[in-house]
Amino acid sequence: MMKRGAGLGLKAAVVAVLAYLHLPIIFVFLYAFTTEDAAFTFPPPGLTTRWFGEAARNPDIREALTLSLSVAAVATLIALCLGTLAAAAIWRSKFFGRETLSLFIVLPIALPGIITGIALRSAINLADIPFSFWTLVIGHATFCVAVAYNNVIARMRRTSPSLLEASMDLGARGWQTFRYVLLPQLGSAIVTGGMLAFALSFDEIIVTTFTAGNQQTLPIWIFSSLVRPRNRPVTNVVALVVVLITFIPIILSQRFASRSEDT
Amino acid sequence: MTTPSTAIRFESVAKTYGDVRAVDRVDLDIADGEFFSMLGPSGSGKTTCLRLIAGFETPTAGRIMLHDSDVTDVPPYERDVNTVFQDYALFPHMTVADNVAYGLMVKGVDGAERRRRADDALAMVHLEGLGGRRPNQLSGGQRQRVALARALVNRPSVLLLDEPLGALDLKLRQAMQIELKALQREVGITFIFVTHDQEEALTMSDRVAVFNQGRVEQVGTPSEVYENPANTFVAGFVGTSNVITGDLATRLRGAPGPFTVRPEKIRLSAGGDVGTEGTVTEVEYLGMFSRYRIDVGEQVLVAVDQNTEAHGERPARGQKIAVSWPESSCRPIALTADGETDEQEPV
C-alpha cells in the first residue's frame, strides 16, 4: 500500500535501517557454515555443514537446549494459568486498587531484567532455596505472566460482559460458559500470549544468570562459549537454532493476532 | 390484580448499591401471558428490575416469585426465564444456528432435535436459511431477530426484553413493535419489556408500570396510565400534560386542587364546560396536527389540534383565542410526593 512516489531518499533510508537491523544476524548465519574453526575472515574461505553435526553431538548443547525448552514450556504454562486468572479477576470485579494491581502485574516487563534478577537472587538466597530448575522457572514466570496477562486482559476489555450473562441466561453453568463462550473469545489471545512468553523465556539471559546457579540454558552456553576460540562456528549454529525457535512462535502469534482481528 | 395466575411477583424488593437505591421497595404482580412494560427514564430502576428477574442481580431485600416459587436466590441458569439483551449479546464465534441452539446444547438436547427446534425458531422470526451466517454478517434488525429466536427456543415461561428496539431506525422499530406484539400473542409467553419510549410502551403493552427513582409510580393499562395519571410525574412522562394548579385552577373550577388536562382535549374555541382566553405564543406545525402554546395569564397551556382547517384559518402566533374543554377531561392529580423528583421531567 505504499503511496505513489515515496522519495528515493526515503527508500534508501528504509533499506539502510533494515540492513542495520538485520545484517549482523545474516553474518551470524553465514559464519555457521564457514570452514574456519577459530578466526572469522571475510569472505569465508569455504562453506561446510559439518558444524551442525558437531553441535548435535555436543552433550553440553543438548543438555542446555533441553533445559531451555523445558523451562520455557513450564514458565509459559504457569504464566498462562496465572495471567488468565488474574485478568479474569481484574476484568470481572471492581475493587479499590484494581488499576494499581494491574500495573504491578505488568511491571516485570518494564523493570530492567537486572533488577528483577538481583531481587530474585537475594530473595532466593534469603529463603535458603537451592538453585534449581524451579528457581529458573520462577524467574522466567515473572515476565511471562505479564505478557500472558496483557494479551488476555486486552481481549477481555473488548468482550462484552453481556455475552457471559447471555450464556448463563440460556442455561449454561459456570464451566459451560467458560468452555463455550469465554474460552473461544480468549482463545487466540491466550495462544498469542503463550507464544510470546515462550519466545521471551527461551532467549532470556539476564534474569537467568541470577537464578540459574551453575545450570546452563542455551543463551548462557552461547555467552560462555564466546570466549573459547575453538569451534566458534558451533556457537553460530546454536545461535541460528535459538533464532529459529524464538522466531517461529512470534511469526505464528502475529498471524494469529491479525487473523482474529479480522473476524 | 385478580388474575388467574401470576408469572412474576415482587414482594417489597429493594436493591441498593452503596447509598444509591436503584430499586426502592417495589411490589409488582405480572400476570401469566401478559405483555407487560416497564417504562421510565434512565436510572429509574426498570433495567435493574429486569436484571433481578433474570437473576443477574440479587435483591438487597424482599422476595421475587416466579410462578409461585421463590427464585430470589436461584442462579440465572436455573430460572425458566430468558432475556433479549439491549446489545443482543450474540456469540460472535458461533453461527446463527449455533447461537439459537445454544440453550438447547448446554441442556444436553440431542443434535437432531436441536437443529429442528432452532430451525423452527428461526422460521418464527422470518430468518429461514440464514442459520449458516455469522452474527457480523447480519443487519441490526436481523441480529435482533436472532436474539429473539435464541431466547424463545428454550420456551421460557417469561421473556425479558431490555430495550431491544433501541438500536433500530424508526421504520424498522415500528414494524418490530407490531411483530413483537403478534409474536407474543402467538407463543402466549409473558413478555416483560423495558423501555424509556412511552409511545412504544403504550402501543404494545397490556399493562404498563411507570418507574421513577427506583419506585413504581403507577401500574395500569395504557389507557388508564394515559387518561388517569396517578401523579404529575406520570402525567409528564407518559405523553405531555397540562398540570393546572393554584390561581388558575381556582379561577377555572373554583378550587385550587391540582388537575390535568391532556393537550388534545383542549379545543381552540369557547363552548366547553371549562374555558378561558389566552394568547398564542408558539405554533409548531407537525403535519397531521399542530401544537400550540397558549398564555392564559397564570400559566401557559399546551394544546394540540388536528389540522383540519386550511392554513390561513388556523390560529397564528400572537392571536387572542378562546380555549375550552369538557369537565370530564379534568383529572384530579397528586403532585409527585417527593419534591426533588419533579426536576427530571423528561421531554
Side-chain angles (χ1 to χ4, degrees), chain B:
Chain B
M1 279 293 292
T2 51
T3 39
S5 152
T6 308
I8 296 282
R9 166 171 293 152
F10 273 45
E11 293 178 0
S12 43
V13 170
K15 177 73 185 175
T16 53
Y17 300 98
D19 294 337
V20 183
R21 285 192 196 155
V23 176
D24 193 1
R25 279 156 300 157
V26 165
D27 289 290
L28 210 55
D29 271 293
I30 299 169
D32 204 13
E34 188 171 35
F35 198 119
F36 190 89
S37 288
M38 294 179 171
L39 173 67
S42 54
S44 61
K46 57 191 194 307
T47 297
T48 309
C49 279
L50 197 81
R51 294 174 59 80
L52 285 166
I53 301 173
F56 302 139
E57 313 276 352
T58 356
T60 321
R63 287 205 305 168
I64 297 171
M65 313 288 287
L66 171 64
H67 284 296
D68 296 325
S69 63
D70 188 343
V71 295
T72 313
D73 297 310
V74 174
Y77 48 82
E78 281 171 7
R79 294 190 189 198
D80 190 12
V81 164
N82 286 120
T83 309
V84 175
F85 289 82
Q86 192 170 13
D87 64 355
Y88 313 144
L90 299 179
F91 305 127
H93 57 285
M94 293 182 196
T95 61
V96 166
D98 287 343
N99 261 286
V100 175
Y102 185 81
L104 304 172
M105 190 266 290
V106 294
K107 281 181 204 120
V109 176
D110 77 87
E113 164 88 357
R114 216 151 75 197
R115 234 161 295 136
R116 194 182 56 72
R117 281 173 63 181
D119 284 347
D120 286 353
L122 282 173
M124 192 164 62
V125 296
H126 313 296
L127 287 181
E128 298 95 335
L130 293 188
R133 301 259 187 105
R134 296 268 171 169
N136 63 2
Q137 296 171 303
L138 301 180
S139 70
Q142 289 171 325
R143 282 182 212 183
Q144 150 89 80
R145 286 158 193 269
V146 175
L148 251 167
R150 185 178 68 173
L152 283 172
V153 81
N154 298 301
R155 297 174 192 147
S157 68
V158 175
L159 185 74
L160 308 175
L161 302 110
D162 185 8
E163 309 220 14
L165 308 181
L168 306 179
D169 63 61
L170 183 66
K171 279 265 179 245
L172 194 54
R173 194 158 70 222
Q174 287 169 341
M176 276 309 288
Q177 285 173 7
I178 295 167
E179 214 178 300
L180 264 181
K181 182 69 196 158
L183 189 65
Q184 192 261 341
R185 253 182 246 125
E186 187 188 320
V187 295
I189 292 173
T190 312
F191 277 33
I192 301 178
F193 188 91
V194 160
T195 181
H196 62 264
D197 182 335
Q198 46 105 3
E199 198 181 304
E200 204 164 85
L202 296 183
T203 324
M204 299 166 70
S205 322
D206 295 320
R207 285 196 308 149
V208 180
V210 183
F211 278 74
N212 179 32
Q213 301 218 322
R215 287 187 302 263
V216 175
E217 300 281 5
Q218 188 173 7
V219 183
T221 63
S223 66
E224 277 167 12
V225 170
Y226 186 79
E227 304 279 347
N228 283 320
N231 54 38
T232 47
F233 177 80
V234 177
F237 192 73
V238 183
T240 42
S241 205
N242 296 294
V243 177
I244 296 169
T245 54
D247 294 345
L248 182 61
T250 315
R251 176 157 71 86
L252 293 176
R253 293 174 75 218
F259 65 96
T260 67
V261 185
R262 290 290 182 188
E264 69 276 13
K265 309 284 185 192
I266 299 181
R267 271 178 264 153
L268 305 182
S269 58
D273 307 322
V274 183
T276 181
E277 287 198 335
T279 312
V280 177
T281 59
E282 205 72 65
V283 182
E284 287 170 81
Y285 178 73
L286 299 165
M288 225 190 321
F289 48 87
S290 295
R291 188 182 297 139
Y292 304 87
R293 298 177 73 80
I294 301 148
D295 189 347
V296 295
E298 297 89 338
Q299 264 178 269
V300 176
L301 300 182
V302 178
V304 168
D305 199 44
Q306 282 216 315
N307 292 332
T308 40
E309 295 90 5
H311 176 69
E313 293 157 31
R314 293 196 299 269
R317 200 153 69 89
Q319 199 174 323
K320 266 196 152 330
I321 55 166
V323 290
S324 68
W325 56 87
E327 172 63 32
S328 61
S329 299
C330 300
R331 301 288 174 184
I333 196 167
L335 294 174
T336 305
D338 224 332
E340 59 207 292
T341 63
D342 287 4
E343 292 159 20
Q344 53 168 108
E345 207 93 336
V347 266

